[in-house]
Amino acid sequence: MLTKLTDYHQVPAFIQACGFEHVFGSKALTALRAYGLNDDRVRFYLCEENSAPTAAMYLMDGVLVVSACPSVDPAPVAELVRRESVGEVDTNWDQCAALQALLGGTTESSYYMVYRGDGVNDSFPDIGPGSLEASFAVLQRSHEYYRTHLRFDAWSADLRQKLDRGLMELYQLEAGGEVVGTGCIGSEDDECGVLAAVAVVPEFRHRGLGSRISRFLVKRILEKGKTPRLISGYDEVAELYGQVGFVPCGRWGELYL
């Protein structure tokens, strides 16, 4: 059974379901902590079977993020997607494939990754707190997704909601007085912190700056006593994160409708 969260008594079950997949689960949990249950911009849902939570999800700006156990029934999720005219679903690969079989659409997939390195002892004088405007400019210059899928107003409003509440951290890297790289700790739960939106402008690539930003974020998360995690955008990117100390731990999927 899938229900919309309207009562804070449902939150413990939602949090339990967020633990099925730490990357998307931490995103759902961070969104809940940022917006609560009464903000019209975001809606939260819980799947239960035999009174046990099987999936936690939230819907915002047409994107449904799902943390689900392997056995969750995709049919109620597919019904929600149709009813709410969802344009994108982010979840584990098995659930993504099951939803595609019911809904059609196209998919992308790569690896969930978890840090298994030996720690970071570097200092990072060139990396400091990020400006929303400068970071978004770097992302737009670096990634087709940001140019085609996201508008600054909506993107920055969501980040500001979380930054103001201490629920995420945004950083930028400078070279020659110019912001050339960015990255953030996009979400957290009690176990992990998630690296996100790591990017370097094209003319400064192949200088190790993306790795440098990633190591900085790893160090910040380890200082909190948590495990760094991420999703690699492509398998080739996973190889680069492997050089930082990350290893694959499953596959995620995005379904576009």
Side-chain angles (χ1 to χ4, degrees), residues 203-214:
E203 57 269 35
F204 277 81
R205 290 176 182 165
H206 309 297
R207 304 186 188 185
L209 298 183
S211 173
R212 184 166 178 78
I213 296 168
S214 299

Side-chain angles (χ1 to χ4, degrees), residues 12-236:
F14 184 88
I15 294 173
Q16 183 178 342
C18 286
F20 286 123
E21 200 298 298
H22 279 286
V23 174
F24 291 137
S26 69
K27 288 184 68 173
L29 183 57
T30 297
L32 179 62
R33 290 169 172 168
Y35 291 94
L37 298 181
N38 300 314
D39 194 310
D40 292 337
R41 291 172 291 180
V42 58
R43 297 189 291 280
F44 299 89
Y45 300 90
L46 176 67
C47 275
E48 294 181 289
E49 296 177 12
N50 299 319
S51 300
T54 56
M57 59 195 80
Y58 78 98
L59 175 62
M60 185 174 185
D61 294 331
V63 179
L64 182 68
V65 177
V66 183
S67 169
C69 73
S71 63
V72 67
D73 182 2
V77 182
E79 181 182 348
L80 173 67
V81 168
R82 293 191 189 99
R83 184 172 72 244
E84 298 295 336
S85 300
V86 172
E88 175 183 334
V89 183
D90 299 349
T91 185
N92 66 70
W93 175 244
D94 289 343
Q95 182 73 359
C96 182
L99 289 171
Q100 185 184 34
L102 294 173
L103 298 167
T106 60
T107 62
E108 292 185 3
S109 175
S110 190
Y111 292 106
Y112 293 119
M113 303 192 77
V114 60
Y115 184 72
R116 292 290 184 256
D118 297 326
V120 180
N121 297 317
D122 312 37
S123 60
F124 299 89
D126 51 349
I127 300 177
S131 152
L132 288 168
E133 292 79 7
S135 294
F136 192 75
V138 170
L139 290 166
Q140 284 214 306
R141 292 170 64 187
S142 304
H143 292 296
E144 179 69 18
Y145 181 88
Y146 284 86
R147 291 192 292 272
T148 58
H149 286 74
L150 295 180
R151 294 176 294 106
F152 176 76
D153 289 347
W155 176 87
S156 62
D158 179 49
L159 264 65
R160 191 171 287 112
Q161 183 89 1
K162 295 168 183 173
L163 288 167
D164 289 348
R165 289 159 176 76
L167 296 171
M168 70 172 296
E169 300 178 12
L170 177 67
Y171 296 97
Q172 61 190 39
L173 181 149
E174 297 186 16
E178 177 186 0
V179 178
V180 301
T182 189
C184 70
I185 302 173
S187 60
E188 296 183 55
D189 60 20
D190 292 340
E191 186 271 348
C192 78
V194 178
L195 283 71
V198 175
V200 176
V201 296
E203 57 269 35
F204 277 81
R205 290 176 182 165
H206 309 297
R207 304 186 188 185
L209 298 183
S211 173
R212 184 166 178 78
I213 296 168
S214 299
R215 293 200 314 276
F216 170 82
L217 296 172
V218 164
K219 185 176 183 180
R220 286 286 303 130
I221 294 167
L222 292 174
E223 288 171 346
K224 300 180 180 202
K226 298 184 179 183
T227 300
R229 293 179 180 268
L230 56 83
I231 59 172
S232 61
Y234 304 97
D235 289 0
E236 296 80 6

